């Protein structure tokens, strides 16, 4: 077997040599004059004139603006958001609008009609309640049957200890505790700084009222309230200012 393999290899070598000799003896006249006249003039004139002139005229004015019939919100007292629905005019608003922010976040030309439960909605955080009667700190809107949305003015009973001419105070528990200082005067006496509705007496003894000092609007408001003769646009109090003016939330 070994010799057979050697013989086969020898035959293969012999055949390859024979092929080489045949080339030498041939009449091949190849003088290396490859006359290939390949005149491939690649004229690929790729004139890709991609004129993509993206004229995206996206004129999105404000994606946050609510359209007609869509849900909206209006700012009340500068920080509470009352819910409603966008409409074309206030005449369509059965539960009113927020004075000073009638448009809310509706598109231009529309008004944000408050829902009938806006006053007691989650956005008010329990700071307001609906009343049938007009309130001293609130607005008419956001309540059923054209009711009033009023700040929770719970008068804190400090006891009746102060006599006429003594300093007095009236404490209101709303979303925070606010204390207004004054002087005890005869019931119904003239008082340029006004009285706290529902809490006129404060801590004065029976028969006396706590006439609120005229600097209390700015003192207690801490820069968020101002005195003005006109009615408050957002909310405020009818006391704590000179000459019977209103103490109004400034809208900050």
């Amino acid at each position: 077997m070994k010799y057979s393999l050697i013989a086969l290899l020898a035959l293969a070598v012999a055949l390859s040599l024979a092929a080489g000799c045949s080339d030498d003896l041939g009449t091949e006249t190849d003088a290396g004059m490859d006359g290939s006249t390949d005149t491939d003039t690649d004229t690929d004139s790729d004139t890709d004139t991609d004129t993509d002139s993206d004229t995206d005229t996206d004129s999105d004015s404000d994606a946050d603006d609510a359209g007609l019939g869509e849900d909206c919100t209006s700012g009340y007292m500068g920080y509470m958001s009352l819910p409603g629905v966008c409409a074309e005019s206030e005449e369509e608003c059965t539960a009113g609008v927020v004075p000073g922010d009638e448009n809310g976040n509706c598109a231009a030309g529309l008004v944000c009609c408050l829902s009938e439960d806006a006053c007691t909605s989650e956005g008010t955080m329990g700071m307001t309640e609906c009343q049938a009667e007009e309130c001293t700190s609130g607005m008419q809107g956001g309540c059923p049957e054209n009711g009033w949305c009023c700040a929770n003015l719970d008068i804190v009973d400090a006891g009746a200890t102060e006599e006429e001419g003594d300093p007095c105070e009236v404490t209101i528990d709303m979303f925070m505790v606010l204390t207004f200082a004054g002087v005890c005067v005869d019931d119904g006496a003239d008082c340029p700084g006004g009285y706290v509705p529902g809490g006129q007496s404060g801590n004065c003894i029976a028969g006396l009222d706590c006439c609120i000092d005229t600097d209390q609007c700015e003192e207690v408001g801490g820069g968020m309230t101002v005195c003005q003769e006109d009615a408050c646009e957002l909310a405020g109090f009818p006391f704590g200012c000179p000459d019977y003016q209103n103490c109004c939330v400034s809208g900050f």
Side-chain angles (χ1 to χ4, degrees), residues 6-185:
I6 294 174
L8 287 173
L9 289 172
L11 178 61
V13 170
L15 289 174
S16 63
L17 291 174
C21 293
S22 174
D23 287 340
D24 290 339
L25 297 174
T27 57
E28 179 73 29
T29 59
D30 183 3
M33 301 290 291
D34 185 358
S36 173
T37 58
D38 182 3
T39 57
D40 184 3
T41 54
D42 186 359
T43 58
D44 183 4
S45 56
D46 184 3
T47 55
D48 185 2
T49 56
D50 185 1
T51 57
D52 183 6
S53 56
D54 185 3
T55 57
D56 184 1
T57 57
D58 183 5
S59 57
D60 183 2
S61 58
D62 187 350
D64 294 334
D65 288 346
L68 183 64
E70 294 181 346
D71 293 339
C72 59
T73 57
S74 289
Y76 177 55
M77 295 183 71
Y79 49 88
M80 289 187 286
S81 295
L82 303 188
V85 176
C86 294
E88 293 182 339
S89 66
E90 291 188 33
E91 286 71 21
E92 302 176 42
C93 304
T94 57
V97 296
V98 174
D101 193 28
E102 295 84 354
N103 176 249
N105 68 327
C106 294
L110 301 178
V111 296
C112 185
C113 288
L114 297 178
S115 60
E116 291 191 348
D117 61 352
C119 180
T120 56
S121 65
E122 183 178 347
T124 63
M125 298 173 285
M127 301 179 191
T128 52
E129 62 183 358
C130 288
Q131 296 181 8
E133 300 81 17
E134 181 177 355
C135 47
T136 57
S137 180
M139 65 171 191
Q140 191 171 19
C143 292
E145 299 179 1
N146 206 29
W148 286 77
C149 180
C150 306
N152 292 318
L153 298 180
D154 295 330
I155 307 300
V156 177
D157 185 3
T161 59
E162 306 305 315
E163 298 183 358
E164 185 175 1
D166 291 341
C168 60
E169 60 184 28
V170 180
T171 300
I172 300 172
D173 186 3
M174 299 194 305
F175 49 91
M176 64 178 67
V177 177
L178 303 176
T179 299
F180 297 88
V183 176
C184 291
V185 297

Side-chain angles (χ1 to χ4, degrees), residues 136 153 172 180 192-197 212-213 216-217 227 236-241 245-247:
T136 57
L153 298 180
I172 300 172
F180 297 88
Y195 299 104
V196 176
I212 304 301
D213 293 339
Q216 290 300 284
C217 175
C227 292
F237 307 103
F239 54 85
C241 289
Q245 293 183 3
N246 293 305
C247 178

Side-chain angles (χ1 to χ4, degrees), residues 228-235 246 248:
Q228 62 183 50
E229 294 182 0
D230 300 330
C232 302
E233 292 184 356
L234 293 177
N246 293 305
C248 302

